[in-house]
Amino acid sequence: MFNANLKIIITRRWPAAVEAKLKELFDVQLNERDIPMTADELKAALQSADALLPTVTDAITADVLSVPNKRAKIIGNFGVGYNNIDINTAKSEGIVVTNTPHVLTDCTADTAMLLLLMSARRASEGERLIANKQWQGWGPTQLMGQKVTGKTLGLIGFGRIAQAMAKKAHFGFGMKIICHARSKPAPEALKEFDAVYYATIEEVLANADFISLHCPGGAATRHLINEQRLKLMRPTAHLINTARGDVVDSKALIKALQERWIAGAGLDVFEGEPQIDPGFLALDNVALLPHLGSATEETRIAMGNRVINNITAFFAGKEPQDRVV
Ligand code: 8YV
């Protein structure tokens, strides 16, 4: 039921169906320009709205959250990762934060699998050959990549998205699964994919043909994959990142790809995105996607609906299902 007293600010354009649903429920302010709001605009939004609904492109910093005279009581993040929000300050300022888990699990894992296949089979190089009108015809040694079926996939992190990736890789491509996570997964979770847990990242890096990153972003995982660790990977191995850009030291990865310490990489996320280190653009052995992890119509609508459920519950005095703090 429409409540004119509750003002909601959405920082970016969302799928039309979800915006329409929000408008039926609340007094909604859209960002018609669909460009990320400035820090001052975000502060003003916290002062004028009851709920702010941001995305990964909005830096909800301690400074933004500390603005005086806030009206906002809840931040309903459109995304499962919430490293764009200073959670500690939100908590101390008494602002509830929610995210959108589950609904994007499969699509993000699909993107990881897509990048794994693109990198292994040199798909970006092949497409560039055709797009640049340089293809002279089939050749017995042209663009030979690495076989995926039956190889070993190393997962860093073993949460929902990692497990969805394990399922696709193990049952779809007959891959052996090895993994490392901060805490050892339950034996049943490992058994489902015959997965082997290693106590250190180093062991996973050294024993896999493909490494896929599935840990959260933020200070604790910044540059988790650095020069030293990249050197542990096999020269035929590929690194896949659909998590957060800053989990990987970009400069070290560019060096690793240039000097062929590893065979290739598939990246959906970047340090300081949308800026991309020009070093990546000069490389052949990297597949680059513009943060498409959850970008399907079904998932983006489901993410919006998840946010609606969270704020609706909150305003009804109930606990939102995806409360982070
Ligand atoms: C989103 C993501 O597209 O949910 C996440 O953490 O990285 C992506 O699926 C993005 O975060 C939207 O805010």
Side-chain angles (χ1 to χ4, degrees):
M1 218 181 49
F2 182 71
N3 187 337
N5 295 325
L6 289 174
K7 183 166 174 193
I8 311 296
I9 295 186
I10 317 178
T11 65
R12 299 293 302 272
R13 295 310 303 262
W14 285 9
V18 193
E19 286 185 351
K21 204 165 175 182
L22 268 166
K23 281 187 193 164
E24 279 171 23
L25 297 169
F26 308 106
D27 171 16
V28 175
Q29 181 184 311
L30 302 176
N31 175 357
E32 300 285 353
R33 297 171 306 152
D34 196 28
I35 51 174
M37 290 163 72
T38 63
D40 283 342
E41 287 170 333
L42 291 169
K43 285 178 187 174
L46 288 174
Q47 288 172 323
S48 65
D50 297 282
L52 178 66
L53 311 187
T55 73
V56 70
T57 58
D58 303 300
I60 315 291
T61 60
D63 174 54
V64 167
L65 287 163
S66 307
V67 67
N69 306 320
K70 282 182 286 295
R71 175 169 164 182
K73 297 276 177 301
I74 179 166
I75 294 177
N77 197 48
F78 182 89
V80 67
Y82 47 85
N83 60 316
N84 53 312
I85 303 169
D86 187 318
I87 289 299
N88 291 333
T89 309
K91 196 173 180 181
S92 61
E93 291 288 327
I95 300 179
V96 168
V97 177
T98 58
N99 69 344
T100 60
H102 303 289
V103 289
L104 45 69
T105 300
D106 267 313
C107 284
T108 307
D110 288 351
T111 302
M113 204 61 218
L114 169 70
L115 282 167
L116 187 155
L117 289 163
M118 285 174 77
S119 191
R121 301 301 304 274
R122 302 173 64 180
S124 297
E125 275 180 89
E127 197 176 34
R128 275 196 296 274
L129 200 67
I130 292 182
N132 296 335
K133 301 195 169 50
Q134 288 165 340
W135 191 43
Q136 308 278 337
W138 183 88
T141 59
Q142 186 178 63
L143 287 178
M144 293 186 298
Q146 266 104 26
K147 184 174 175 178
V148 170
T149 299
K151 293 280 179 68
T152 299
L153 171 63
L155 298 165
I156 307 294
F158 204 66
R160 287 180 292 264
I161 298 172
Q163 289 182 45
M165 170 89 171
K167 188 171 179 181
K168 291 165 209 290
H170 184 66
F171 296 110
F173 292 86
M175 295 181 88
K176 184 179 164 203
I177 309 297
I178 63 175
C179 64
H180 170 79
R182 266 175 311 177
S183 42
K184 190 173 176 181
E188 315 82 73
L190 294 170
K191 200 162 168 264
E192 198 177 337
F193 322 104
D194 282 332
V196 175
Y197 177 80
Y198 284 99
T200 66
I201 293 185
E202 282 73 15
E203 288 166 288
V204 175
L205 293 174
N207 287 294
D209 300 302
F210 297 92
I211 294 290
S212 191
L213 304 175
H214 298 285
C215 49
T221 55
R222 187 173 180 275
H223 290 188
L224 184 79
I225 304 299
N226 55 20
E227 183 163 329
Q228 207 183 352
R229 288 192 167 135
L230 285 165
K231 282 191 170 144
L232 297 174
M233 289 175 66
R234 297 174 173 174
T236 48
H238 296 253
L239 178 73
I240 310 304
N241 190 6
T242 54
R244 282 293 179 265
D246 56 6
V247 176
V248 179
D249 177 346
S250 309
K251 294 286 177 210
L253 178 58
I254 290 165
K255 199 167 162 199
L257 292 166
Q258 274 166 349
E259 298 179 7
R260 308 277 164 169
W261 309 344
I262 64 173
L267 310 175
D268 188 46
V269 287
F270 303 88
E271 279 193 278
E273 62 186 52
Q275 260 43 267
I276 310 246
D277 191 312
F280 284 124
L281 305 178
L283 290 165
D284 271 338
N285 51 347
V286 66
L288 307 170
L289 294 179
H291 202 148
L292 294 182
S294 61
T296 62
E297 288 179 23
E298 297 89 335
T299 290
R300 289 286 162 83
I301 290 172
M303 287 163 70
N305 285 332
R306 196 102 190 172
V307 178
I308 295 179
N309 289 345
N310 283 323
I311 62 169
T312 307
F314 176 80
F315 289 128
K318 298 182 198 139
E319 181 72 3
Q321 62 179 339
D322 305 317
R323 184 169 178 169
V324 178
V325 291

